[in-house]
Short mmCIF file of all heavy atoms in Angstrom, two decimals:
data_model
loop_
_atom_site.label_atom_id
_atom_site.label_comp_id
_atom_site.label_asym_id
_atom_site.label_seq_id
_atom_site.Cartn_x
_atom_site.Cartn_y
_atom_site.Cartn_z
N GLU B 68 -35.49 46.07 55.27
CA GLU B 68 -36.60 45.19 55.07
C GLU B 68 -37.39 44.98 56.35
O GLU B 68 -36.89 45.16 57.44
CB GLU B 68 -36.06 43.78 54.64
CG GLU B 68 -35.33 43.75 53.27
CD GLU B 68 -34.92 42.32 52.91
OE1 GLU B 68 -34.85 41.47 53.87
OE2 GLU B 68 -34.66 42.12 51.72
N ARG B 69 -38.63 44.65 56.12
CA ARG B 69 -39.48 44.31 57.31
C ARG B 69 -40.45 43.25 56.75
O ARG B 69 -41.60 43.47 56.51
CB ARG B 69 -40.28 45.49 57.82
CG ARG B 69 -40.93 45.30 59.15
CD ARG B 69 -41.75 46.49 59.62
NE ARG B 69 -42.25 46.26 60.92
CZ ARG B 69 -43.24 46.97 61.41
NH1 ARG B 69 -43.85 47.94 60.76
NH2 ARG B 69 -43.71 46.69 62.64
N PRO B 70 -39.89 42.00 56.57
CA PRO B 70 -40.57 40.99 55.74
C PRO B 70 -41.95 40.57 56.31
O PRO B 70 -42.82 40.29 55.52
CB PRO B 70 -39.57 39.80 55.82
CG PRO B 70 -38.67 40.13 56.91
CD PRO B 70 -38.60 41.51 57.07
N LYS B 71 -42.17 40.52 57.54
CA LYS B 71 -43.43 40.01 58.08
C LYS B 71 -44.17 41.11 58.82
O LYS B 71 -45.04 40.84 59.66
CB LYS B 71 -43.24 38.76 58.90
CG LYS B 71 -42.70 37.54 58.20
CD LYS B 71 -42.49 36.39 59.09
CE LYS B 71 -41.92 35.21 58.30
NZ LYS B 71 -41.71 34.01 59.14
N GLY B 72 -43.71 42.32 58.69
CA GLY B 72 -44.34 43.42 59.40
C GLY B 72 -44.04 43.43 60.86
O GLY B 72 -44.74 44.17 61.62
N SER B 73 -43.02 42.68 61.28
CA SER B 73 -42.66 42.72 62.72
C SER B 73 -41.27 43.32 62.83
O SER B 73 -41.10 44.50 62.73
CB SER B 73 -42.71 41.32 63.28
OG SER B 73 -41.91 40.43 62.60
N PHE B 74 -40.20 42.48 62.93
CA PHE B 74 -38.87 43.03 63.08
C PHE B 74 -38.40 43.58 61.72
O PHE B 74 -38.97 43.20 60.63
CB PHE B 74 -37.86 41.99 63.60
CG PHE B 74 -37.52 40.91 62.54
CD1 PHE B 74 -36.42 41.06 61.80
CD2 PHE B 74 -38.31 39.74 62.44
CE1 PHE B 74 -36.08 40.07 60.83
CE2 PHE B 74 -37.95 38.77 61.51
CZ PHE B 74 -36.83 38.95 60.67
N SER B 75 -37.37 44.38 61.78
CA SER B 75 -36.76 44.91 60.60
C SER B 75 -35.26 44.83 60.61
O SER B 75 -34.63 44.70 61.61
CB SER B 75 -37.13 46.47 60.49
OG SER B 75 -36.51 47.03 59.38
N THR B 76 -34.64 44.77 59.43
CA THR B 76 -33.18 44.74 59.26
C THR B 76 -32.73 45.94 58.41
O THR B 76 -33.49 46.27 57.50
CB THR B 76 -32.70 43.45 58.70
OG1 THR B 76 -33.28 43.19 57.45
CG2 THR B 76 -32.96 42.26 59.63
N LEU B 77 -31.61 46.46 58.76
CA LEU B 77 -31.00 47.52 57.95
C LEU B 77 -29.62 46.97 57.57
O LEU B 77 -28.82 46.69 58.44
CB LEU B 77 -30.84 48.83 58.71
CG LEU B 77 -30.18 49.94 58.04
CD1 LEU B 77 -30.98 50.47 56.83
CD2 LEU B 77 -29.91 51.16 59.01
N GLU B 78 -29.33 46.86 56.24
CA GLU B 78 -28.08 46.34 55.82
C GLU B 78 -27.32 47.48 55.08
O GLU B 78 -27.92 48.25 54.31
CB GLU B 78 -28.24 45.20 54.86
CG GLU B 78 -26.92 44.64 54.37
CD GLU B 78 -27.03 43.47 53.35
OE1 GLU B 78 -28.14 43.33 52.77
OE2 GLU B 78 -26.01 42.80 53.08
N ILE B 79 -26.07 47.58 55.40
CA ILE B 79 -25.15 48.51 54.65
C ILE B 79 -24.09 47.69 53.96
O ILE B 79 -23.38 46.96 54.62
CB ILE B 79 -24.52 49.51 55.65
CG1 ILE B 79 -25.55 50.22 56.56
CG2 ILE B 79 -23.72 50.55 54.84
CD1 ILE B 79 -24.90 51.13 57.60
N GLN B 80 -24.01 47.80 52.67
CA GLN B 80 -23.05 47.04 51.90
C GLN B 80 -21.80 47.98 51.61
O GLN B 80 -21.94 49.15 51.51
CB GLN B 80 -23.64 46.62 50.53
CG GLN B 80 -24.79 45.64 50.75
CD GLN B 80 -25.36 45.13 49.43
OE1 GLN B 80 -25.40 45.95 48.44
NE2 GLN B 80 -25.73 43.86 49.36
N ARG B 81 -20.65 47.31 51.50
CA ARG B 81 -19.43 48.04 51.18
C ARG B 81 -19.28 49.26 52.09
O ARG B 81 -19.23 50.41 51.57
CB ARG B 81 -19.40 48.43 49.76
CG ARG B 81 -19.61 47.21 48.78
CD ARG B 81 -19.60 47.65 47.32
NE ARG B 81 -20.59 48.63 47.02
CZ ARG B 81 -21.88 48.44 46.75
NH1 ARG B 81 -22.35 47.20 46.89
NH2 ARG B 81 -22.68 49.47 46.40
N THR B 82 -19.24 49.07 53.35
CA THR B 82 -19.24 50.21 54.30
C THR B 82 -18.09 51.21 54.00
O THR B 82 -17.00 50.78 53.61
CB THR B 82 -19.16 49.75 55.76
OG1 THR B 82 -18.02 48.85 55.91
CG2 THR B 82 -20.43 49.02 56.23
N GLU B 83 -18.34 52.47 54.30
CA GLU B 83 -17.42 53.50 54.18
C GLU B 83 -17.29 54.22 55.49
O GLU B 83 -18.11 54.07 56.42
CB GLU B 83 -17.88 54.57 53.16
CG GLU B 83 -18.16 53.97 51.74
CD GLU B 83 -18.74 54.99 50.83
OE1 GLU B 83 -19.09 56.04 51.27
OE2 GLU B 83 -18.94 54.58 49.63
N GLN B 84 -16.14 54.93 55.72
CA GLN B 84 -15.92 55.53 57.05
C GLN B 84 -17.02 56.54 57.39
O GLN B 84 -17.38 56.75 58.55
CB GLN B 84 -14.55 56.25 57.05
CG GLN B 84 -13.41 55.21 57.19
CD GLN B 84 -12.05 55.83 57.39
OE1 GLN B 84 -11.74 56.91 56.78
NE2 GLN B 84 -11.32 55.23 58.24
N GLY B 85 -17.54 57.16 56.34
CA GLY B 85 -18.69 58.12 56.52
C GLY B 85 -19.93 57.51 57.02
O GLY B 85 -20.89 58.21 57.45
N ASP B 86 -20.05 56.18 57.02
CA ASP B 86 -21.22 55.48 57.54
C ASP B 86 -21.17 55.40 59.04
O ASP B 86 -22.20 55.00 59.70
CB ASP B 86 -21.31 54.04 56.95
CG ASP B 86 -21.48 54.07 55.46
OD1 ASP B 86 -22.09 55.06 54.90
OD2 ASP B 86 -21.06 53.11 54.82
N SER B 87 -20.00 55.66 59.67
CA SER B 87 -19.94 55.62 61.11
C SER B 87 -20.94 56.59 61.77
O SER B 87 -20.93 57.77 61.43
CB SER B 87 -18.50 55.95 61.56
OG SER B 87 -17.58 55.04 61.07
N ALA B 88 -21.80 56.02 62.58
CA ALA B 88 -22.90 56.81 63.19
C ALA B 88 -23.65 55.85 64.13
O ALA B 88 -23.34 54.72 64.23
CB ALA B 88 -23.85 57.31 62.10
N MET B 89 -24.61 56.46 64.81
CA MET B 89 -25.55 55.73 65.66
C MET B 89 -26.77 55.49 64.77
O MET B 89 -27.29 56.49 64.21
CB MET B 89 -25.90 56.48 66.88
CG MET B 89 -26.97 55.84 67.74
SD MET B 89 -26.35 54.41 68.64
CE MET B 89 -25.78 55.30 70.14
N TYR B 90 -27.24 54.28 64.62
CA TYR B 90 -28.41 53.98 63.83
C TYR B 90 -29.53 53.66 64.82
O TYR B 90 -29.47 52.72 65.59
CB TYR B 90 -28.14 52.83 62.88
CG TYR B 90 -27.24 53.27 61.73
CD1 TYR B 90 -25.85 53.23 61.97
CD2 TYR B 90 -27.69 53.72 60.53
CE1 TYR B 90 -24.98 53.70 60.94
CE2 TYR B 90 -26.87 54.17 59.55
CZ TYR B 90 -25.52 54.21 59.74
OH TYR B 90 -24.61 54.64 58.77
N LEU B 91 -30.60 54.47 64.75
CA LEU B 91 -31.70 54.38 65.64
C LEU B 91 -32.92 53.85 64.95
O LEU B 91 -33.29 54.17 63.84
CB LEU B 91 -32.05 55.76 66.21
CG LEU B 91 -30.96 56.45 67.10
CD1 LEU B 91 -31.30 57.93 67.28
CD2 LEU B 91 -30.92 55.76 68.45
N CYS B 92 -33.59 53.00 65.66
CA CYS B 92 -34.88 52.47 65.21
C CYS B 92 -36.00 52.96 66.13
O CYS B 92 -35.76 53.13 67.34
CB CYS B 92 -34.86 50.87 65.25
SG CYS B 92 -36.40 50.10 64.77
N ALA B 93 -37.12 53.20 65.58
CA ALA B 93 -38.26 53.69 66.34
C ALA B 93 -39.55 53.03 65.82
O ALA B 93 -39.59 52.64 64.67
CB ALA B 93 -38.44 55.19 66.33
N SER B 94 -40.51 52.94 66.67
CA SER B 94 -41.81 52.41 66.26
C SER B 94 -42.91 53.25 66.78
O SER B 94 -42.75 53.93 67.77
CB SER B 94 -41.96 50.92 66.64
OG SER B 94 -42.10 50.76 68.04
#
Side-chain angles (χ1 to χ4, degrees):
Chain B
E68 294 182 344
R69 195 184 183 197
K71 297 181 181 178
S73 56
F74 75 91
S75 175
T76 57
L77 177 68
E78 181 182 15
I79 309 174
Q80 295 182 325
R81 305 180 303 281
T82 52
E83 302 173 355
Q84 287 188 318
D86 297 332
S87 297
M89 176 75 88
Y90 289 84
L91 295 166
C92 176
S94 68

